[in-house]
Amino acid sequence: MDVYFIKTGDTIKVGIASNINRRMVELQVGNPHKIELLHTISTSEENARKIESQIHTLFHKTNLNGEWFQANQFMIDFIRNVKENGWEAYSEWIDTQYQTVYADSLAALKAKIERDTIIGNMVSLEMLKEDLGKLVNTIYAIPSLPTNMAEAVKKWIEKRKDPFAIKDVYSEFGITTRNGKKNISIILKRLVVKGILEQSGNPHMSIYRKRVTLQRK
């Protein structure tokens, strides 16, 4: 039995099948988008159902309907990690991603607790419950980003008339994580190298301008 990850358009289906090739043919019929098999996990039927259930629970906040989920970058990276390192490694990878995403928020909350405890600010400590609640509620609510971020940024630049800073790109796509910001930086550097953008100012306060008219592929 196979646990499969199939991508079509901006959605990913996570299910199980005894014959993955036949299942792909069935899903392709009547589907205007090409079906792409991202990965399969071959195991016993009992274990396959357990794994499928774990994945559905993990990504429940991006569930669209049944076995279909929004194809955000976090889920794509998750599947890539399982493909490269095996299903057993997924838990450690998830923990690492959360530590990266929420490290700053957790550090700020820790400092707040220590400061308010020292000065005996019980009102502030009571309000901390709300802050912690908000943080916990975001644990699985990873922002849904375009599956091809480079193309999305390129199209955004194409439509933009004014110069912009990298923070404008963060704001446009809701980028808040370190990995996400690093990815945007790499994309802009590549566009500069290709001659699509010109960069001025210091590395931390760069201003970008279009050098040529972007042509969509």
Side-chain angles (χ1 to χ4, degrees), residues 105-106 109-110 113 125-139:
S105 295
L106 290 172
L109 286 175
K110 181 175 181 292
I113 292 171
L125 287 172
E126 185 65 24
M127 292 175 64
L128 180 64
K129 293 180 181 178
E130 183 178 345
D131 294 334
L132 286 170
K134 290 178 181 178
L135 181 61
V136 171
N137 286 335
T138 64
I139 290 298

Side-chain angles (χ1 to χ4, degrees), residues 11-52:
T11 61
I12 290 178
K13 188 176 191 298
V14 182
I16 59 175
S18 57
N19 187 323
I20 186 60
N21 292 326
R22 182 175 62 194
R23 189 67 178 121
M24 288 185 67
V25 171
E26 292 172 350
L27 291 172
Q28 187 64 78
V29 174
N31 192 324
H33 302 289
K34 181 180 178 181
I35 295 290
E36 178 185 1
L37 181 62
L38 299 179
H39 183 50
T40 60
I41 303 171
S42 298
T43 184
S44 66
E45 180 176 354
E46 180 181 0
N47 198 39
R49 294 191 183 281
K50 288 181 180 179
I51 292 175
E52 178 193 37

Side-chain angles (χ1 to χ4, degrees), residues 187-211:
I187 292 171
L188 295 181
K189 286 179 181 178
R190 288 176 179 172
L191 293 177
V192 170
V193 171
K194 290 180 180 180
I196 293 174
L197 289 177
E198 62 178 14
Q199 181 181 9
S200 59
N202 65 62
H204 302 292
M205 296 292 291
S206 294
I207 298 298
Y208 297 90
R209 294 178 176 83
K210 285 188 290 186
R211 292 186 61 182

Side-chain angles (χ1 to χ4, degrees), residues 78-124:
F78 168 84
I79 296 169
R80 183 182 299 115
N81 176 71
V82 171
K83 183 176 181 179
E84 294 176 354
N85 301 304
W87 170 249
E88 295 75 13
Y90 94 92
S91 181
E92 182 179 352
W93 183 85
I94 289 289
D95 289 343
T96 300
Q97 296 304 303
Y98 288 161
Q99 289 170 14
T100 299
V101 172
Y102 301 110
D104 292 341
S105 295
L106 290 172
L109 286 175
K110 181 175 181 292
K112 185 177 187 297
I113 292 171
E114 292 175 345
R115 182 183 65 250
D116 291 346
T117 299
I118 291 172
I119 65 176
N121 190 344
M122 300 309 296
V123 174
S124 181

Side-chain angles (χ1 to χ4, degrees), residues 143-163:
S144 298
L145 301 176
T147 55
N148 188 336
M149 182 59 75
E151 186 63 25
V153 171
K154 187 177 177 182
K155 289 180 178 179
W156 177 76
I157 294 172
E158 179 183 17
K159 297 176 181 178
R160 189 178 177 90
K161 297 179 180 180
D162 301 324

